[in-house]
Amino acid sequence: MAGNPVDPLQTLSAALAVPADSKEQADILATLRESLETHPNPIPILCTTLIKTVSSAGDSLLKRWVLDLLHYAISRSNLSNEVRTQLASQSVETLAALLHDSNARTVKVSIQCLTTVYPLLFRSLCANRTLRQQWDVLSQCKARILEFIWSPTASTGVKVSAIKFMQRVIIVQTRGISDPRLQNKNDPNISNVPADHPFLPGPTLEAEGMKLLESVITMLYTNQNPELLSAILHSWSNLVKQRPALVQLVVSSLSSWTPAALSGLPAPSVKSVEKAVRILLIHISRGPHGSSFGAQINEALSLQAARMERASAEEKARKAAVAASATEATKKRPSSAPAEHPSDAKRMKVDVDIAGNASAAFLASFDFTTLPISLITDLIVANLQAFTEPALLELVQIYRQSRGLVPSPPVSRTPQPARPTPEATPTPGPSAEPVVKDEPVDPLQMDIDEEEMEYEPDRLNMELSGAGTIAEEEMIPADLPEALTLDLIDFTLLGPKELTDVERNALMRGSVGRIWDGAEELKVDSVVPSQWPGASPTDMWMLLIVRMVTRVAHVDGDQSPAPEDGGDAETKVDFYSRQDNLRQTLCDYIMADFPSRLHLVTTWMNEEWYNDRIRMADDPHWRPNYESWLNQVVSTYQTVLEGKPEGKHDGKDKAFARFLLDLPSVPPDVLGLLRDLSVDPDKMHVGFTSLREFVLERPSLRAEALQVLLELTTHPDPVTRRAAINTVRRWVPGIEPMDSMIRDFALQILRRLQKRPPKEEAPKVIDEQASASDENMEDGQLPSEDLLQTPYLLDEIELPARKAHVLQHVELLFALSVKIPEFLDEIFTAYGQMELTVQEAIQDLITALIKSLGSSNGKLLTLMRTCPPGSESLALRVLTIFTEHGRPSAQLVALVKGLISDRDLDARFLIPIIAEMDKPDILKYLPRIVSILNGQQEPKNLVRSVFSSVVTTPPQTFGSVSSNLPRVRQSELLTPAELMVLLHEAEKEIGLKSAIEAIGVCFSMTDVFRSEILAVVMQQIVDEPVLPVLFLRTVIQAVTTYRTLVGFVSTTLLSRLITKKIWQNPHLWEGFIRCAKVIAPASFGALLQLPKEQLRELVDKQPSLKSGLREYVTKRAGNKARVAGFLDIFGEDDDASLVSPATPDVVMASAPA
């Protein structure tokens, strides 16, 4: 591969061409990865291109491959620092988004990438003062990752990665080595931040780094998770290496540490943390900075060694106590007890009758082949232990003498039979009552394996059965001398060898191994018939192992140990300890390959459950094993999930769900476990699959499992929440009883968003509370005690409401509304009873639902027509969604026009559809839209867009190509002149201030309202019988904007106004005077047309015009009498021209008094 690199683009194209997530695609991507690791130059371009493409997609093989490649490129490749920094800069925003991914593996890899990205970009940003946005993104990533450490829902893998990231942040945000000779340029630290940096606050970051270090130390002392503690300790080796100034703090923390917080954990877990602390202390002592702390470290190591030795001794003592208790309990076991269930052959007790005839009769009537060999052995040993050793030997001797098996000694003596103690006297049970033939039974005729006949205990059984004489004669060699015949009268059998725990475990493992090998032989040898009808050889060995673990060995529980005598208790503890070791071995074997051993673990759990029931019926003090070992299997399975290839769902997932379904009883802890699995992105497939199957297949657990799923639909993590929603929505509608439960839950969660009565206003009297509750219900304020609560929702939504919190409440209901449009009624009704910030969030969040329903949805159109009071803004949002990227339908336009006519709705309802109306409707409704102007920029932008849509001519290609432009004919549009005239004619309906602002908007649209348009407007308005109040204000604005209009205004417009006796309207007369001054001296010719009285009034109000008018009249030198009259009006006092009395502002002059 190194000599022949593959073409990255071709290989990637080949991977994309094959089926997604297939083995073929995995092989192609693996080949490409191998090539890129050898030739990494194409990695940056591939990563920057692919990461943005796959980041927003769901979990897939390609996405995981790209993330792993990015992690390799940034963290472990031999690319230069510059290339890695550039790659980190280009991918940091995508990694920030992936921190919110639903897949835990994706989040973990993103954190691992950011662990390297943070120091790379920190060093780059120290030198670059312009990338403020990049630092903000990096800070958001840091805050998000630190949240995972204390999050109760984050998986252990994510927390470990987050702790490593936090340790890297501590290293970066603390000061490095001060000696410049020892400084490492690849070690970014807080010392690199310039004092005047615009957005990197050095002191603040340094304080944050020390605070994070304090948090880590606090976790070391308080956290109970050994994996997290190990991650902290392992990362401290780099901390002490790169930050010598912190060595003293680390050594002090480790020296003072004790496993107090780990009390209650298993001894191996505590020991593993102790070892990690010890290794780190030794590492520090051997480092260059540990010499000054040698005494402190040695003292800490000595104290720890003593502590560990003491803990080991206590553990050994505990095990010894357990063993002793079990032994003592065994010794105190009574000889026999009446069977509570005589009909159960598996629990029948064999009573040994000292009288040979009764024993032989009983044995002859019982078929021992129905009992497992291990159970028979256990029963024999238990009965033999009921006798003391001397009593047992004496009984054996008496039996031998009665059978003539012992030769007479040289000295004749008759042994006195010892009377057995009352405990040793066998009591015939109910099974010995039937009359049987009193004859000896030859065990050789019984169905016993040949291998079992080789053991000495079987020879003893033959002797006890009455056929011992014949067997003895057959088995003693004929040539054995008489003198060598053994006399066992004084023979004492040696006790069994005491085995250590290690030897016991080895013996037990060897036994299980032989059973397994025997089962494998049964699989191969098909000629061996099964002794268990309907069962396979594999089932046989599984049942054999399970029964051996659960039922063969047992402790007598018929009598409880006396409180003052701890011997029986110690024996029990030892017994339970040995049995737990057996079960642990079986558990380890199963979990090594859970899917293929599913039948075994199912059989085991069912057997444990049944065994607990029958044992507890006999012994109320029996310690149940079912729930504890079910929890052990489940917890071990969690560990298996942690260790499997992340993000891949294999057969184990389905196998675990089947295992849980086949359990005879499901404890509440299992549902809690499934909840935890469901919130872990790496394991959620297992959790949701199991919960779904519980709902469908286990009616007794349906309500509890469905409640867990429904609560998960309010989870803050979007991926977990949507997975839960997708799980439950399949039962709606029509699948009962799930349908009703889901609907009720969704509506109750919606009610949480409605207003609640303030706590301080809550009535104190019960009767008053009842009446107030009714009143609040009418007002939409719901009492908090009636509201449904889930573990993932705040008790009360915080105001101002955050969109993410509101989405937790409504996402399930929105998803169901697609299938059940009737839920839209509930949404609109509840909307009017919500706080304003909640309503704003709902308006934004409902967008996807409305788009999916479409503008032709009958339910939506009906709701818009009959929306409840208070929900008008939501109806307006629906209308806006329908029209923001397309043209509204004719049905929608008609609906809104009807609404406007029937109800006093906001004029904003008209804005989305105004361009779809014909000209009469536009002229009718446009003034109402203009009236929303209030001096704010947002309404002004809306009005400008409306003007553009109703005035701008559509392009010539309209109709031949797809377009979102209004679909109106040319004749249905308003001309610019018509719009301007309309604004003046409707000034009273609009309001003067809003009309002035709208005219200003028109003047800002210089490409539409050009000078020739304004000339037409002025000419059209001046011909009206009644002039608008704002007309002359518009004229002044026009000549100010376009100086080319001065001639038209001075020669035509002013003369026309004089003929209309403009002075009769005081407001317009003030505007006329102002206009004449603005365009002077062009207006002088028109002013001379005024009657003398009005001309005198004009020059009195505007004295600055006198000199100009006087000069204008003098130069024209017409009729001397007329000139003299004008000069009389204008006067000769030049000083008058200096007097300029204050004239009202244009706006005030045109405004009504």
Side-chain angles (χ1 to χ4, degrees):
M1 181 66 67
N4 298 301
V6 300
D7 187 331
L9 295 180
Q10 290 184 359
T11 308
L12 184 61
S13 300
L16 296 176
V18 300
D21 298 331
S22 62
K23 183 179 184 301
E24 185 179 0
Q25 186 182 58
D27 293 339
I28 297 174
L29 291 176
T31 303
L32 178 56
R33 171 65 181 270
E34 183 180 356
S35 175
L36 291 174
E37 289 183 1
T38 309
H39 305 277
N41 291 334
I43 290 180
I45 184 64
L46 283 178
C47 286
T48 54
T49 303
L50 293 176
I51 190 66
K52 296 179 181 179
T53 303
V54 302
S55 60
S56 58
D59 183 41
S60 63
L61 175 63
L62 179 62
K63 181 176 181 179
R64 295 191 296 271
W65 183 86
V66 173
L67 273 177
D68 290 338
L69 181 63
L70 178 63
H71 182 214
Y72 169 78
I74 294 178
S75 305
R76 304 193 308 274
S77 68
N78 56 1
L79 296 172
S80 64
N81 280 339
E82 291 73 19
V83 175
R84 292 165 59 216
T85 302
Q86 183 179 4
L87 182 58
S89 177
Q90 294 171 346
S91 59
V92 63
E93 293 186 3
T94 303
L95 291 173
L98 290 175
L99 290 178
H100 300 273
D101 197 276
S102 60
N103 190 308
R105 181 193 180 279
T106 301
V107 175
K108 184 164 72 173
V109 177
S110 301
I111 296 174
Q112 293 169 354
C113 292
L114 287 166
T115 304
T116 306
V117 167
Y118 189 86
L120 287 175
L121 293 186
F122 185 89
R123 179 176 56 191
S124 172
L125 293 172
C126 287
N128 193 320
R129 298 169 177 261
T130 60
L131 299 178
R132 174 61 181 264
Q133 183 178 1
Q134 190 175 91
W135 170 249
D136 292 340
V137 174
L138 199 60
S139 300
Q140 293 171 7
C141 293
K142 176 172 65 176
R144 173 64 176 167
I145 295 173
L146 294 180
E147 288 177 1
F148 286 124
I149 298 177
W150 291 276
S151 172
T153 60
S155 64
T156 302
V158 171
K159 286 188 175 182
V160 169
S161 298
I163 286 177
K164 293 179 180 179
F165 174 88
M166 180 170 65
Q167 297 281 25
R168 183 61 61 89
V169 171
I170 293 172
I171 292 176
V172 172
Q173 294 184 193
T174 50
R175 298 195 176 274
I177 301 174
S178 56
D179 189 346
R181 297 170 299 176
L182 302 177
Q183 290 178 355
N184 183 1
K185 66 177 183 179
N186 293 326
D187 177 23
N189 59 83
I190 203 67
S191 303
N192 302 139
V193 180
D196 59 343
H197 201 284
F199 55 81
L200 288 182
T204 303
L205 293 176
E206 186 174 8
E208 182 189 29
M210 294 305 298
K211 187 175 181 180
L212 290 177
L213 181 58
E214 294 175 2
S215 301
V216 173
I217 296 174
T218 303
M219 289 179 62
L220 180 67
Y221 279 84
T222 59
N223 198 283
Q224 291 187 323
N225 191 328
E227 296 183 22
L228 300 185
L229 296 179
S230 298
I232 292 173
L233 295 170
H234 292 162
S235 61
W236 271 4
S237 60
N238 286 332
L239 181 66
V240 298
K241 178 181 179 181
Q242 300 184 35
R243 300 292 178 264
L246 300 178
V247 174
Q248 182 178 3
L249 178 61
V250 173
V251 171
S252 301
S253 302
L254 294 176
S255 301
S256 305
W257 181 84
T258 61
L262 304 180
S263 59
L265 294 182
S269 299
V270 180
K271 188 175 181 181
S272 66
V273 180
E274 288 271 20
K275 285 184 176 180
V277 173
R278 186 175 186 84
I279 291 171
L280 181 57
L281 283 172
I282 295 174
H283 171 74
I284 295 174
S285 66
R286 294 177 180 176
H289 309 291
S291 57
S292 56
F293 306 97
Q296 185 179 1
I297 292 176
N298 290 333
E299 182 181 359
L301 290 175
S302 300
L303 293 175
Q304 187 193 42
R307 184 171 65 237
M308 294 177 67
E309 185 176 353
R310 186 166 55 254
S312 178
E314 290 174 356
E315 180 66 13
K316 290 182 179 178
R318 185 189 67 82
K319 292 182 178 179
V322 171
S325 176
T327 303
E328 186 65 20
T330 303
K331 290 181 179 179
K332 292 189 176 183
R333 182 182 181 91
S335 60
S336 62
E340 296 183 8
H341 303 285
S343 60
D344 188 1
K346 296 181 181 178
R347 303 185 64 256
M348 183 176 295
K349 299 181 181 295
V350 180
D351 298 321
V352 180
D353 191 348
I354 299 179
N357 293 335
S359 175
F362 174 76
L363 294 176
S365 65
F366 186 78
D367 184 8
F368 281 89
T369 60
T370 61
L371 294 179
I373 298 300
S374 55
L375 179 59
I376 296 174
T377 305
D378 183 77
L379 293 174
I380 293 175
V381 172
N383 281 276
L384 291 176
Q385 288 177 344
F387 298 93
T388 62
E389 185 175 343
L392 179 61
L393 292 176
E394 190 169 2
L395 289 173
V396 171
Q397 182 64 23
I398 292 173
Y399 180 82
R400 286 178 176 272
Q401 289 180 358
S402 65
R403 293 294 181 178
L405 301 177
V406 181
S408 299
V411 179
S412 175
R413 63 190 181 103
T414 304
Q416 298 295 326
R419 298 183 59 85
T421 61
E423 291 79 359
T425 305
T427 303
S431 2
E433 292 179 1
V435 179
V436 297
K437 295 181 180 180
D438 188 9
E439 60 182 14
V441 178
D442 186 359
L444 294 177
Q445 303 300 322
M446 303 174 68
D447 187 12
I448 301 177
D449 293 343
E450 294 182 358
E451 293 180 357
E452 295 175 359
M453 297 301 296
E454 298 175 1
Y455 294 100
E456 192 64 29
D458 296 302
R459 183 176 298 177
L460 178 61
N461 290 337
M462 288 165 38
E463 295 174 357
L464 294 176
S465 66
T469 304
I470 300 175
E472 189 77 16
E473 293 175 357
E474 292 179 354
M475 299 182 68
I476 297 178
D479 56 348
L480 185 67
E482 184 69 22
L484 294 179
T485 303
L486 298 178
D487 187 357
L488 299 180
I489 295 177
D490 298 327
F491 176 75
T492 301
L493 184 66
L494 296 177
K497 178 182 178 182
E498 186 69 23
L499 300 178
T500 65
D501 290 342
V502 176
E503 292 172 336
R504 287 178 178 176
N505 289 335
L507 182 62
M508 181 266 297
R509 291 178 184 274
S511 301
V512 174
R514 287 191 297 274
I515 294 174
W516 166 253
D517 294 338
E520 292 295 331
E521 294 175 2
L522 287 175
K523 290 181 182 179
V524 177
D525 191 1
S526 59
V527 300
V528 178
S530 174
Q531 300 293 331
W532 185 14
S536 66
T538 304
D539 293 333
M540 291 177 61
W541 77 257
M542 283 195 298
L543 185 63
L544 178 59
I545 290 179
V546 169
R547 289 283 178 86
M548 182 177 68
V549 171
T550 57
R551 296 203 200 180
V552 170
H554 63 88
V555 63
D556 190 0
D558 294 338
Q559 295 180 356
S560 302
E564 64 275 3
D565 187 1
D568 286 351
E570 294 177 358
T571 302
K572 277 191 174 184
V573 171
D574 183 59
F575 164 77
Y576 288 136
S577 178
R578 290 197 303 270
Q579 293 303 301
D580 286 346
N581 289 336
L582 289 173
R583 289 179 169 89
Q584 185 61 53
T585 301
L586 179 59
C587 180
D588 294 342
Y589 170 75
I590 290 171
M591 301 313 297
D593 189 3
F594 188 85
S596 64
R597 294 163 188 168
L598 175 63
H599 193 185
L600 173 58
V601 68
T602 303
T603 304
W604 178 27
M605 287 297 105
N606 280 272
E607 181 66 23
E608 289 284 13
W609 176 79
Y610 178 70
N611 187 52
D612 283 345
R613 295 187 66 186
I614 61 176
R615 288 294 179 92
M616 293 181 72
D618 294 340
D619 179 11
H621 301 282
W622 172 260
R623 187 196 71 176
N625 290 298
Y626 172 71
E627 289 195 11
S628 60
W629 283 100
L630 174 59
N631 290 334
Q632 179 69 16
V633 170
V634 169
S635 60
T636 307
Y637 177 74
Q638 287 183 283
T639 306
V640 172
L641 283 182
E642 289 286 349
K644 75 175 184 176
E646 298 182 9
K648 294 183 179 179
H649 302 303
D650 54 18
K652 294 181 181 180
D653 301 339
K654 296 181 180 179
F656 188 68
R658 289 198 300 271
F659 164 68
L660 294 178
L661 284 175
D662 291 338
L663 291 176
S665 173
V666 180
D669 293 347
V670 173
L671 290 177
L673 163 72
L674 295 179
R675 181 194 296 270
D676 295 339
L677 291 177
S678 299
V679 300
D680 188 333
D682 283 341
K683 308 169 189 174
M684 64 166 51
H685 178 76
V686 183
F688 282 115
T689 300
S690 303
L691 288 171
R692 183 184 68 234
E693 295 302 322
F694 274 147
V695 173
L696 293 175
E697 305 294 340
R698 296 290 290 262
S700 60
L701 293 173
R702 177 172 292 155
E704 292 84 352
L706 184 56
Q707 183 64 28
V708 173
L709 285 172
L710 291 174
E711 290 177 354
L712 289 172
T713 62
T714 65
H715 196 276
D717 180 58
V719 176
T720 301
R721 185 170 63 247
R722 288 164 191 162
I725 291 172
N726 290 334
T727 302
V728 303
R729 68 185 295 186
R730 68 184 65 193
W731 297 315
V732 178
I735 302 181
E736 294 293 348
M738 289 81 81
D739 184 10
S740 301
M741 296 173 65
I742 295 168
R743 292 185 186 218
D744 183 62
F745 179 87
L747 294 177
Q748 290 189 60
I749 292 297
L750 178 67
R751 293 179 65 232
R752 291 175 49 85
L753 295 176
Q754 297 175 227
K755 299 175 183 177
R756 307 185 194 181
K759 295 181 180 179
E760 60 271 10
E761 298 179 5
K764 298 181 180 180
V765 184
I766 298 179
D767 295 339
E768 293 177 356
Q769 287 180 347
S771 61
S773 175
D774 296 338
E775 294 175 0
N776 290 335
M777 289 296 289
E778 293 176 2
D779 297 335
Q781 294 183 342
L782 304 178
S784 58
E785 61 269 14
D786 294 339
L787 299 178
L788 183 66
Q789 179 65 33
T790 74
Y792 310 110
L793 296 177
L794 300 175
D795 292 338
E796 292 187 10
I797 192 165
E798 299 176 354
L799 298 177
R802 294 174 54 188
K803 188 161 59 176
H805 291 168
V806 176
L807 184 59
Q808 288 179 246
H809 292 75
V810 299
E811 189 167 10
L812 172 62
L813 191 62
F814 285 177
L816 297 178
S817 299
V818 178
K819 294 184 174 182
I820 310 174
E822 290 76 14
F823 278 143
L824 294 171
D825 291 323
E826 303 290 344
I827 296 172
F828 273 75
T829 301
Y831 177 87
Q833 302 166 0
M834 298 176 184
E835 296 287 348
L836 178 60
T837 56
V838 179
Q839 290 181 345
E840 292 173 351
I842 292 289
Q843 291 180 30
D844 188 28
L845 296 172
I846 206 172
T847 303
L849 172 61
I850 300 304
K851 287 183 177 179
S852 65
L853 293 175
S855 60
S856 60
N857 185 276
K859 187 63 179 178
L860 262 181
L861 296 176
T862 302
L863 268 176
M864 291 181 64
R865 185 181 301 108
T866 62
C867 56
S871 64
E872 291 84 0
S873 57
L874 183 59
L876 175 59
R877 175 57 184 162
V878 173
L879 177 62
T880 305
I881 293 171
F882 285 156
T883 58
E884 61 185 354
H885 296 299
R887 298 189 299 266
S889 62
Q891 184 181 11
L892 189 61
V893 173
L895 184 147
V896 175
K897 288 170 63 176
L899 276 177
I900 296 296
S901 302
D902 299 340
R903 304 175 63 170
D904 186 19
L905 296 180
D906 194 310
R908 287 177 171 80
F909 276 86
L910 293 164
I911 294 176
I913 66 165
I914 188 69
E916 298 296 321
M917 297 181 179
D918 52 20
K919 183 177 290 188
D921 286 336
I922 293 175
L923 294 173
K924 176 181 178 181
Y925 293 115
L926 191 58
R928 188 167 182 176
I929 295 176
V930 175
S931 64
I932 70 173
L933 291 170
N934 56 4
Q936 301 296 323
Q937 187 62 37
E938 181 184 0
K940 186 179 294 186
N941 293 337
L942 290 174
V943 171
R944 180 181 286 107
S945 67
V946 170
F947 287 174
S948 299
S949 64
V950 299
V951 172
T952 303
T953 304
Q956 296 298 325
T957 56
F958 180 78
S960 61
V961 294
S962 175
S963 173
N964 286 333
L965 292 174
R967 54 172 181 80
V968 295
R969 300 186 304 273
Q970 184 72 23
S971 60
E972 292 175 342
L973 289 173
L974 296 182
T975 65
E978 288 174 330
L979 173 59
M980 186 69 84
V981 171
L982 175 64
L983 295 178
H984 287 80
E985 291 179 346
E987 61 184 8
K988 292 184 179 180
E989 179 184 353
I990 296 171
L992 288 179
K993 290 186 178 181
S994 297
I996 291 171
E997 195 172 350
I999 293 170
V1001 171
C1002 292
F1003 274 98
S1004 68
M1005 301 168 63
T1006 56
D1007 57 333
V1008 177
F1009 293 89
R1010 300 185 293 271
S1011 60
E1012 59 271 22
I1013 299 297
L1014 295 175
V1016 173
V1017 170
M1018 291 185 288
Q1019 182 64 52
Q1020 188 172 344
I1021 294 178
V1022 80
D1023 292 335
E1024 296 290 335
V1026 179
L1027 295 177
V1029 174
L1030 299 178
F1031 172 60
L1032 281 165
R1033 186 187 187 283
T1034 302
V1035 173
I1036 294 172
Q1037 194 170 358
V1039 297
T1040 304
T1041 305
Y1042 299 103
R1043 299 303 297 179
T1044 57
L1045 291 175
V1046 172
F1048 166 75
V1049 173
S1050 61
T1051 59
T1052 303
L1053 191 65
L1054 293 184
S1055 299
R1056 187 74 179 89
L1057 292 173
I1058 291 172
T1059 59
K1060 294 175 71 71
K1061 298 182 180 181
I1062 189 66
W1063 55 85
Q1064 294 180 355
N1065 188 321
H1067 303 294
L1068 294 176
W1069 174 237
E1070 291 291 340
F1072 180 89
I1073 295 173
R1074 182 65 178 170
C1075 180
K1077 179 181 179 181
V1078 169
I1079 65 174
S1083 61
F1084 290 167
L1087 293 180
L1088 295 179
Q1089 300 175 25
L1090 286 168
K1092 291 184 178 182
E1093 183 179 353
Q1094 278 70 38
L1095 181 60
R1096 187 183 303 276
E1097 180 182 356
L1098 183 145
V1099 297
D1100 288 342
K1101 291 185 177 181
Q1102 293 291 340
S1104 60
L1105 297 176
K1106 284 185 179 182
S1107 60
L1109 285 170
R1110 185 168 57 248
E1111 182 180 355
Y1112 178 79
V1113 170
T1114 304
K1115 287 182 179 181
R1116 292 191 62 178
N1119 189 323
K1120 291 183 178 182
R1122 182 176 174 81
V1123 171
F1126 285 132
L1127 291 177
D1128 179 60
I1129 295 173
F1130 303 145
E1132 298 291 341
D1133 188 5
D1134 294 336
D1135 294 338
S1137 63
L1138 300 176
V1139 180
S1140 179
T1143 57
D1145 187 77
V1146 173
V1147 176
M1148 297 304 297
S1150 60

